[in-house]
Amino acid sequence: MTVIGLGAMGRALAEAFLDNGHPTTVWNRTAARSEELAARGATAAATVAEAIAASPLVVICVLDHASVRNVLDAALGGTDVLDTPGASGSGTGVLAGRTLVNLTNGTPAQARETARWVAGHGAEYLDGGIMAVPPMIGTSGSLVLYSGSQESFRAHERTFEVLGGAMYLGVEPGRAALYDIALLSAMYGMFGGFFHAVALAGSEGVPATEFTPLVVSWLNAMATAFPGMAEAIDSGDHPSTGSNLRMQAVSFVNLLDTSRDQGVDTGLLEPMGALLDRGVAAGLGAGDVSAVVDLLRAAPAGDARTR
Ligand code: FVH
């Protein structure tokens, strides 16, 4: 197989394939990054076209969508857009008959665009979302989401499993990116809550290390409410389970007031407070807080509150 892109994540992917006995060809824009892997048994390709030609299964994991297009255009168009002199190939047709697996973070629309482009070059396409950080690759804690060509996923499923769990989400190429971005949204919401909490506790000298175990157990306890909320969200029926939205909107004001009193920036919390208030104003106050999801869905595209 071939791995294109040897940043922190691409290196971890290539190492996992090598460690599991898969002959692996690697390529990176900055060629020096291939050397360490070559010393571990990888074949370092001189050009990206050569790297693609080396294997039926090609994994690309670079910074972003623009980098993917930069690399593929260079490989297939023979253009000179790569920064490394001589790195571009004249490989028109080199992708044909291969499977390209794009594990670069991107939007669903970008995944669909790349899928169309790859199909136009006669190749199969899988888009993926890596739900792991580099040291987790190859461990049981790692999960990679895939969508796109079902045939390719089934053909290479065992190979993908060397990276960790492999979950196939269907033929719609943007689906893995949608799940990836949605899960990252949950993660950043959690990070924001954690950062605000330790800033607040720290405003009276409580060390983050002392306070953090309480945050971890509190968030774990609260996460047990998610499946019940999910049922309410899917059904559209949000009966209160004892902590109705109106009560939460009132007590949320204390979060903002305490933050101001303690000299902690309220920027992370204000949008949540505003959303709770909108929920009450929309007549949802007697029900569960999960009802505010309907307000998020109703936000017009490009609404500043959703950006
Ligand atoms: N690392 C992580 O924790 C996360 C975990 C979840 C998945 N993400 C996504 O994985 C993609 C790669 O991330 P990374 O951590 O490997 O990123 P870097 O270490 O910064 O390496 C970037 C690689 O991209 C190459 N590159 C950048 N720009 C271009 C370009 N215009 N043309 C060709 N290649 C480009 C860069 O090459 P070089 O700088 O070494 O020459 C690296 O190989 C990413 O989508 C994460 O969101 C990681």
Side-chain angles (χ1 to χ4, degrees):
M1 56 182 313
T2 285
V3 177
I4 294 173
L6 301 175
M9 185 50 84
R11 270 201 313 280
L13 302 175
E15 282 168 7
F17 291 129
L18 286 168
D19 290 348
N20 284 275
H22 292 281
T24 304
T25 297
V26 295
W27 182 87
N28 191 63
R29 176 181 62 171
T30 306
R33 283 184 135 172
S34 301
E35 286 165 14
E36 197 185 318
L37 287 158
R40 293 181 63 153
T43 301
T47 67
V48 62
E50 187 183 307
I52 292 172
S55 313
L57 181 61
V58 178
V59 173
I60 183 165
C61 186
V62 287
L63 186 63
D64 58 8
H65 179 67
S67 314
V68 172
R69 292 306 303 264
N70 186 43
V71 169
L72 295 179
D73 285 347
L76 280 86
T79 59
D80 256 333
V81 289
L82 289 171
D83 298 342
T84 310
S88 60
S90 52
T92 306
V94 73
L95 254 188
R98 303 178 196 287
T99 294
L100 181 74
V101 184
N102 180 14
L103 299 184
T104 304
N105 179 270
T107 69
Q110 289 169 347
R112 288 190 281 271
E113 183 200 311
T114 308
R116 280 192 297 274
W117 187 91
V118 169
H121 287 80
E124 295 292 311
Y125 183 69
L126 279 167
D127 201 271
I130 303 176
M131 308 321 300
V133 293
M136 290 165 68
I137 295 300
T139 70
S140 58
S142 158
L143 174 67
V144 184
L145 308 168
Y146 300 87
S147 58
S149 167
Q150 183 166 24
E151 203 181 318
S152 291
F153 179 78
R154 295 294 168 223
H156 300 292
E157 191 172 359
R158 296 279 91 80
T159 306
F160 297 149
E161 281 170 358
V162 310
L163 305 177
M167 183 183 284
Y168 179 67
L169 297 171
V171 294
E172 207 292 289
R175 188 55 58 92
L178 181 71
Y179 273 49
D180 183 5
I181 297 292
L183 288 168
L184 290 175
S185 304
M187 180 188 80
Y188 281 112
M190 183 182 71
F191 281 179
F194 170 60
F195 296 155
H196 190 90
V198 292
L200 208 44
S203 70
E204 295 207 353
V206 179
T209 45
E210 183 182 315
F211 191 67
T212 294
L214 287 172
V215 180
V216 172
S217 59
W218 174 239
L219 291 183
N220 276 318
M222 286 297 97
T224 62
F226 289 167
M229 287 189 180
E231 279 179 28
I233 290 161
D234 284 347
S235 70
D237 186 21
H238 299 272
S240 171
T241 54
S243 312
N244 72 49
L245 170 57
R246 186 179 303 106
M247 174 279 292
Q248 297 204 39
V250 169
S251 60
F252 201 90
V253 174
N254 291 332
L255 275 65
L256 296 169
D257 287 346
T258 304
S259 301
R260 290 186 195 106
D261 291 347
Q262 301 294 126
V264 173
D265 192 308
T266 55
L268 285 170
L269 290 187
E270 277 168 26
M272 187 66 186
L275 183 62
L276 298 182
D277 290 344
R278 274 206 291 146
V280 173
L284 305 171
D288 190 71
V289 67
S290 55
V292 298
V293 173
D294 290 337
L295 301 180
L296 293 176
R297 287 176 170 151
D303 187 322
R305 288 168 304 195
T306 65
R307 262 185 258 138

